[in-house]
């Protein structure tokens, strides 16, 4: 490809050392996160990260089909990452590609350790990730939304997972690579992490980084991950807080109609007056 | 021992709730003396017990729960019922019919429940190793005839019932409807059509505002207002 010849000619920084889109080396692209975008899914979320536009839907825990894939002591997590034919510059062929299969697996492995799958033996939890528009770092953005969608579905988890890529382009370490920086650059390192719990669940490296550079990258990315993590937490609470504010609820919780809680067992439905069969 | 949340706080998975010697209830987990939330919900502290009342999530079958389900299949010895949980429930002839009926049941189970029927049932057994078992023998259990079915988020059912049934009995007495609430979030309402409409609106309000306080009074006001509008 003659693209490779032009790699050296691509200018990734301006005179002030800012990136093509005006970001500093450790700055995130603008992003937007939303929950409950799909009414018929058990949980859903939508993210716009740079030019990425990604929807995630979660169904389950539900009955697993085909039955023979059931695992006796925990739920099966199935992640499907799909790109729309219209999500990239040149029409993507609609058949699931090698890349989509790989990313599905990678995202599944990034989410799995944070879920309490053992709570739902033999069941299935399905996560569908649909990329409407693709930019650099779509697997990281997908991990971020998928995690929020899972929380929105009420699936118990150890913590939210946040993904951001880091890499090297034009000789500099950069946080949150854009599509061009990823294609032209020397290295791309997608990272996903359960920020609140300080655990990494995804670390890939495409290209070459020295040991020191990798260590430096992990440091650089922390601020970016924290920012997205805060947003994830915020959007999950937002809707409920809004309803509370609408009602103008007082701070003092009244106990008069508190009928919930696992230790204040509620007798089942009151069926006294129902006609019997 | 320190608690890092106020009661009634909205928490999200992975949020640190407390440090120290706490017992952790539903919706929480413990790692090295630290208690974290595992679901989106409202944190509660009672003595040294911490738990989170989930706001979202599917129904998880528990023995003795009353559920409302739909017959999806007829098998050799009973029915398969969709109770909108992760597992289909079994309703056996033994647990559905009287002994006299059970002996002659083998001819055609459709005489009792057909595919598509809605039944009110109680969960007899549910554990990790097998699908839940149901019974329809008991007071108030059996086929739903007439009425209206609506679905709510199962995690908000306790709120619809209220402490010692306060909310649901208020709805029933104000609206003179029969209302059966399944723990799986399916609600069966039978009564005057106009009242049924008000009941559905009230239930939707309870579902939406489940995480707020003073709900019973607010809902009662709305109902009384709507009833007087109808009379005029």
């Amino acid at each position: 490809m003659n693209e490779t010849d032009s790699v050296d000619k691509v200018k990734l920084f301006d005179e002030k050392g800012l990136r093509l889109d005006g970001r500093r080396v450790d700055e995130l692209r603008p992003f937007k996160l939303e929950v409950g975008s799909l009414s018929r899914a058990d949980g859903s979320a939508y993210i716009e990260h740079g030019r990425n536009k990604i929807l995630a839907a979660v169904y389950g825990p539900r009955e697993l089909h085909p039955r023979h894939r059931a695992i006796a002591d925990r739920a099966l997590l199935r992640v499907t990452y799909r790109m729309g034919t219209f999500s990239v510059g040149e029409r993507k062929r609609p058949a699931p590609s090698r890349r989509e299969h790989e990313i599905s697996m990678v995202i599944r492995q990034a989410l799995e350790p944070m879920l309490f799958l053992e709570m739902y033996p033999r069941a299935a939890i399905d996560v569908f990730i649909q990329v409407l528009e693709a930019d650099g770092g779509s697997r990281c953005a997908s991990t971020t939304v998928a995690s929020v969608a899972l929380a929105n579905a009420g699936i118990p988890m150890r913590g939210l997972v946040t993904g951001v890529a880091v890499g090297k382009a034009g000789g500099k370490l950069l946080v949150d690579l854009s599509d061009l920086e990823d294609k032209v650059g020397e290295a791309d390192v997608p990272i996903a992490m359960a920020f609140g719990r300080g655990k990494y669940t995804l670390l890939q490296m495409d290209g070459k980084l020295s040991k020191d550079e990798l260590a430096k990258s992990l440091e650089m990315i922390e601020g970016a991950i924290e920012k997205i993590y805060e947003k994830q937490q915020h959007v999950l609470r937002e809707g409920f807080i809004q309803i509370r504010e609408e009602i103008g609820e007082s701070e003092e919780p009244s106990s008069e109609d508190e009928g919930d809680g696992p230790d204040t067992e509620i007798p089942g439905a009151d069926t006294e007056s129902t006609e019997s069969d | 021992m320190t608690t890092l949340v106020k009661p009634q706080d909205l928490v999200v998975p992975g949020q640190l709730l407390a440090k120290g010697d706490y017992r952790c209830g539903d919706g929480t987990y413990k790692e090295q003396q630290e208690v974290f939330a595992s679901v989106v919900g409202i944190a509660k502290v009672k003595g040294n017990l911490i738990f989170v009342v989930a706001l979202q999530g599917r129904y998880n079958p528990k023995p003795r729960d009353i559920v409302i389900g739909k017959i999806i299949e007829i098998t050799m010895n009973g029915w398969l019922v969709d109770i909108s949980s992760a597992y289909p429930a079994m309703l056996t002839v033994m647990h559905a019919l009287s002994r006299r009926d059970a002996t002659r049941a083998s001819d055609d189970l459709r005489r009792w429940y057909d595919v598509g029927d809605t039944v009110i049932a109680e969960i007899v057994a549910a554990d990790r190793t097998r699908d839940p078992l149901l019974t329809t023998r008991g007071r108030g259990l059996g086929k739903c005839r007439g009425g209206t079915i609506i679905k709510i988020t199962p995690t908000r059912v306790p709120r619809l019932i209220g402490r010692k049934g306060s909310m649901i009995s208020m709805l029933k007495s104000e609206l003179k409807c029969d209302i059966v609430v399944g723990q799986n979030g399916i609600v069966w309402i039978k009564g005057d059509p106009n009242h049924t409409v008000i009941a559905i609106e009230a239930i939707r309000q309870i579902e939406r505002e489940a995480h707020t306080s003073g709900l019973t009074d607010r809902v009662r006001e709305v109902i009384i207002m709507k009833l007087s509008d109808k009379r005029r």
Side-chain angles (χ1 to χ4, degrees):
Chain A
M1 281 204 295
N2 44 7
E3 236 178 74
T4 30
D5 305 329
S6 62
V7 162
D8 301 319
K9 290 168 205 152
V10 175
K11 237 181 108 216
L12 290 173
F13 307 97
D14 67 7
E15 318 76 54
K16 282 182 246 154
L18 292 177
R19 296 202 246 169
L20 290 177
D21 44 10
R23 291 141 76 200
R24 281 174 279 108
V25 288
D26 61 348
E27 200 172 333
L28 273 175
R29 288 169 289 179
F31 68 97
K32 189 179 116 182
L33 194 58
E34 196 181 286
V35 286
S37 321
L38 303 169
S39 58
R40 310 196 69 175
D42 289 311
S44 60
Y46 172 69
I47 195 171
E48 283 180 16
H49 187 134
R51 269 176 27 239
N52 280 308
K53 291 189 172 64
I54 304 168
L55 256 177
V58 172
Y59 296 84
R62 65 179 177 183
E63 227 186 309
L64 173 60
H65 288 292
R67 272 277 172 74
H68 71 265
R69 290 189 63 195
I71 311 166
D73 61 348
R74 63 194 152 93
L76 176 69
L77 178 68
R78 292 188 287 200
V79 176
T80 315
Y81 167 98
R82 291 304 319 271
M83 287 169 74
T85 54
F86 44 80
S87 64
V88 276
E90 184 135 344
R91 178 175 186 271
K92 186 207 154 283
R93 306 192 70 208
S97 63
R98 198 215 90 252
R99 200 185 95 95
E100 285 170 291
H101 278 129
E102 181 201 309
I103 294 181
S104 302
M105 183 201 72
V106 159
I107 295 172
R108 192 192 74 229
Q109 290 176 346
L111 297 170
E112 216 163 25
M114 298 316 286
L115 300 177
F116 289 100
L117 292 178
E118 62 275 17
M119 286 181 72
Y120 305 100
R122 309 188 311 285
I125 296 172
D126 290 308
V127 181
F128 298 102
I129 298 165
Q130 180 67 45
V131 178
L132 305 175
E133 196 174 330
D135 194 1
S138 77
R139 75 189 65 191
C140 293
S142 300
T143 310
T144 306
V145 249
S147 171
V148 172
L150 282 163
N152 180 237
I155 289 164
M157 54 170 92
R158 280 170 248 269
L160 296 165
V161 182
T162 315
V164 175
V166 56
K168 193 175 158 189
K172 283 191 194 177
L173 287 178
L174 302 174
V175 166
D176 194 17
L177 300 181
S178 69
D179 196 34
L180 182 71
E181 288 164 338
D182 179 16
K183 288 205 168 94
V184 164
E186 294 95 276
D188 173 29
V189 184
I191 296 172
M193 140 174 224
F195 184 79
R197 309 298 330 276
K199 285 175 178 144
Y200 293 93
T201 61
L202 165 70
L203 182 73
Q204 287 182 292
M205 184 154 77
D206 180 10
K208 269 187 187 166
L209 280 186
S210 73
K211 218 169 155 186
D212 292 340
E213 281 172 328
L214 183 62
K216 178 90 196 304
S217 314
L218 291 180
E219 260 170 53
M220 279 172 77
I221 211 159
E222 228 147 87
I225 287 195
E226 184 174 7
K227 207 170 153 193
I228 300 181
Y229 178 69
E230 301 275 307
K231 181 77 177 174
Q232 284 176 302
Q233 293 192 311
H234 174 75
V235 293
L236 283 169
R237 291 196 190 99
E238 203 178 20
F240 297 108
I241 292 176
Q242 242 171 38
I243 294 174
R244 274 188 177 173
E245 278 168 0
E246 251 172 58
I247 289 152
E249 175 169 276
S250 57
E251 280 295 297
E252 212 51 48
S254 67
S255 57
E256 126 274 352
D257 53 3
E258 291 295 298
D260 38 18
D263 56 344
T264 51
E265 201 59 57
I266 308 303
D270 184 357
T271 53
E272 310 250 316
S273 49
T274 319
E275 55 173 324
S276 186
D277 195 29
Chain B
M1 295 222 323
T2 41
T3 321
L4 299 163
V5 283
K6 292 196 297 294
Q8 302 297 109
D9 261 5
L10 271 162
V11 296
V12 294
Q15 188 174 340
L16 184 58
L17 302 178
K19 283 180 186 162
D21 224 0
Y22 284 100
R23 284 192 302 134
C24 48
D26 287 4
T28 65
Y29 68 100
K30 200 170 182 178
E31 255 171 40
Q32 281 132 32
Q33 294 293 303
E34 292 181 319
V35 181
F36 298 93
S38 66
V39 292
V40 179
I42 297 163
K44 307 240 164 166
V45 186
K46 276 197 182 130
N48 72 340
L49 174 74
I50 296 189
F51 59 93
V52 174
V53 178
L55 284 164
Q56 282 136 343
R58 284 203 154 196
Y59 171 65
N60 216 17
K62 273 203 314 291
R64 300 187 52 73
D65 274 359
I66 302 286
V67 295
I68 301 181
K70 195 165 152 191
I71 308 282
I72 46 173
E73 207 175 306
I74 297 178
T75 65
M76 291 290 286
N77 55 356
W79 297 264
L80 271 184
V81 188
D82 174 18
I83 53 168
S84 61
S85 83
Y87 315 98
M90 265 300 283
L91 175 61
T92 59
V93 169
M94 186 186 95
H95 281 115
L97 310 175
S98 66
R99 202 157 297 160
R100 191 164 53 85
D101 283 345
T103 53
R104 56 192 177 95
S106 53
D107 39 342
D108 192 7
L109 292 180
R110 269 176 291 190
R111 278 172 56 193
W112 286 276
Y113 303 125
D114 200 355
V115 171
D117 284 350
T118 301
V119 291
I120 301 169
E122 186 181 319
I123 296 185
V124 181
D127 61 53
R128 291 175 56 82
T129 58
R130 59 193 162 148
D131 292 339
L133 278 178
L134 300 177
T135 179
T136 52
R137 293 183 65 181
R139 215 166 130 75
L141 305 181
K143 200 191 283 186
C144 293
R145 297 182 192 279
T148 306
I149 294 279
I150 62 167
K151 290 183 183 175
I152 66 168
T153 313
T155 51
R156 319 217 175 150
V157 163
R159 217 48 218 279
L160 175 54
I161 292 170
R163 172 164 285 176
K164 296 208 173 89
S166 59
M167 180 75 86
I168 199 71
S169 51
M170 183 274 286
L171 286 178
K172 283 182 186 174
S173 61
E174 294 289 348
L175 294 164
K176 295 170 193 69
C177 284
D178 260 353
I179 305 177
V180 180
V181 186
Q183 291 293 322
N184 57 345
I186 297 176
V187 186
W188 180 72
I189 309 160
K190 191 173 186 180
D192 175 72
N194 290 324
H195 287 190
T196 304
V197 171
I198 299 174
I200 292 172
E201 285 166 357
I203 291 167
R204 290 273 167 248
Q205 184 191 354
I206 295 163
E207 185 189 14
R208 192 176 119 87
E209 298 172 11
H211 60 295
T212 62
S213 51
L215 191 52
T216 313
D217 294 335
R218 222 171 323 124
V219 172
R220 182 186 284 121
E221 273 172 39
V222 174
I223 289 176
I224 290 171
M225 205 182 69
K226 282 179 181 160
L227 280 176
S228 60
D229 279 356
K230 282 260 155 62
R231 253 173 234 131
R232 230 176 274 143

